[in-house]
Amino acid sequence: MPQSEQARLSLLSPTAGTVVDLKHVRDDVFASKKMGEGFAVTDTPGGAVVAPVAGTVIMVAKTKHAVGIETADGTQVLVHLGIDTVELDGAPFTLDVQRGDTVSAGQQIATMDTTTIAKAGKDATIVVVISNYAKTMSGISLVDGHVRAGEVAAEATPNLAGVVASRSEKTELTGFDALAADIIRLVGGKENVRSLTHCITRERFYLHDESKADDAAISELDGVLQVMRAGGQYQVVIGPDVEDVYDALIAQLGEQAAGGEVAADASAQKERPTSALGWAKHGFSELIGVITGSMIPVIGLLAAAGIIKGILSLLTTFEVITGDSQTYEIINAMSDAVFYFLPIFVGFTAARRLGADPVIVAIIGGVLTYPSILEMSEGEGARSIAGMSLNADFFGLPFHMASYSYSIFPIIVAAWLASRIEPWLKKVIPNMVRMIFVPLIEVVVVSLAILLVLGPVITFISTGIANGIQSVYDFSPTISGLIIGGFYQCLVIFGLHWAVIPLVAQDIAATGNSSLNAIISATMVAQGGAVLAVFVKTRREKIKGLSGPAAIAAFCGITEPAMYGVNLKYGRVFAMASIGGAAGGLLTGLFNVNMWGFTGSLIGFSSFINPEGLDFSFWGFLIASATALVVAFVLTYLFGFKDSDVDSGREVKKVRLGNREPVQR
């Protein structure tokens, strides 16, 4: 059918008023059309609000200020009642529909009280947006001027190919699109998906009802390594193709599903604990979730910086450059910047995870790393408390100014504090001055809270924990290496490794090295050695297709494809890998191997080069890694795997302890 003959989608005005282009709306998200194309209705009288299109209600906000409708052709239309009215907790609105209802165009779906909205200082403009406009439409035209409720306010021209592609009944999909369609169908359909995010190897779904998901069927899909349920998430382990599959999933679910850690359907509530033990588990799960969400985006940067540091050490060791040259300073800045300004980066990611303004918290991170603040932390005070020198004062009040450059935990606490005071500030500060006074008050209050009180306490505690771990290692590096090497990857299964990784990162940032990280590296090599043995021994093409890339990934520092694709699935393989990790860890401790970078496994060889000159840590790393690899490989080849295991391969038990498992360490 020619474009001119295509049936256009008529969008009815949800209320009487004046139709205006979205660019005139006093909200940056709608005005920039990031949410999609559509129109707004101003001068609204209040009263009944009608559906702009016919379809199924797919979203109803808990605060009653928004309703989402999907048409039969897959076009998704959002009706947003007022600007910033989410802060009114539903007071001005009465909804006449709920999720799953079928509505006709012009049917009443809500009632809006504009008097209440005006008294609260809010804007009663109603916004209608086609949220998947870029995919399903090729143009839109608006009615000029005043309309009545239920009259046509705009007409959108469908992009026929996009509409067909957006329908749930896809029949000719291939590659990642086909895999995404199968996953969506097997988790209970897109109506069962609240939101979706991903880490380095897995898709992390928030589902309305996890019981609708077919674990066995999803696990059998080509391209899926494993299925996990942890921390309120339904996790589908994909491996290196995770980003491509994520893009395909979002293309079919719609952009509204890309909700990160927040459910797309705000009306869905997590089950709350009812006992002290339940609250303890909930608190631990949330803590791990915050650490995970804060660290995931910077892990790659830390790894890259560690490799650059190692290369810089090689260049100076072999006298390619000198430590006082400008070339050295430039490369050193590349390797050190992410560590030096870590509070800024982690502040941004932690705020995004906790719901605070990321830019404001990043600025607070900038306060903590400001040059004069760092200079102040190097001073000595006349008095001390609990070993902390009172080296600064604020209006005559003495306090301990810690060094926050290279730190992690103080800024995470700052992000949490910001997430608590920011909503309150937005409620009490009028719209017209909010843009200035919210960041003003937030930066001042949170910065002072961290600098004067919370920061020194957190620094004292985190330093004590790190020193405690180091003391255990110093008591017997060999025994510590044996135990940690044998059991560390067990922590990864439950997500408990995220309690260790920030300590390792902070240890490297603060002291320049980490012996604990060296042991962890050996466990990664062992997982790779075990899955490599499976690759060599198996005659089954599918297992070779899984184990070969998984071995490469493990030697590059990502053990998840190996663990969930093969090793844990065929139980003895993981046991042999753990024995290899114990052997490698034992030698790492025996040789007192140290590590100056964050990147482990074989790809991280440069992390074991001492910046002051090549020493035995590098050779100890090679010996320990070779031992871990050989022991895991030989034991797996002889005792850990045979092709008949594939027929009786067991599923990995679904753990519920912990929260999220991004980069495997």
Side-chain angles (χ1 to χ4, degrees), residues 481-499:
L482 175 69
I483 295 173
I484 296 171
F487 292 100
Y488 179 79
Q489 292 295 330
C490 294
L491 296 181
V492 173
I493 299 172
F494 295 96
L496 298 178
H497 63 300
W498 276 106

Side-chain angles (χ1 to χ4, degrees), residues 88 135 148 177 182 191 194 212 216 279 289 379 392 587 608:
L88 303 183
K135 181 179 177 182
R148 291 180 293 184
D177 293 327
D182 286 336
E191 65 275 3
R194 289 162 52 195
K212 293 183 178 180
W279 276 107
L587 291 178
F608 294 84

Side-chain angles (χ1 to χ4, degrees), residues 56 175 245 354 363 459 535 541 571 600 609:
T56 303
V245 176
L354 290 165
I363 293 299
T459 301
F535 173 77
E541 288 303 316
I609 300 174

Side-chain angles (χ1 to χ4, degrees), residues 464-547:
I465 293 173
N467 290 339
I469 294 174
Q470 188 64 43
S471 297
V472 173
Y473 175 83
D474 292 339
F475 177 75
S476 177
T478 305
I479 295 176
S480 296
L482 175 69
I483 295 173
I484 296 171
F487 292 100
Y488 179 79
Q489 292 295 330
C490 294
L491 296 181
V492 173
I493 299 172
F494 295 96
L496 298 178
H497 63 300
W498 276 106
V500 178
I501 287 177
L503 294 174
V504 169
Q506 186 150 320
D507 195 23
I508 293 175
T511 67
N513 53 71
S514 172
S515 51
L516 173 60
N517 208 30
I519 299 173
I520 293 173
S521 175
T523 72
M524 300 158 72
V525 175
Q527 292 293 327
V531 79
L532 180 63
V534 174
F535 173 77
V536 172
K537 188 173 184 178
T538 186
R539 295 294 179 266
R540 303 200 177 199
E541 288 303 316
K542 182 176 181 180
I543 302 302
K544 278 191 179 292
L546 284 173
S547 55

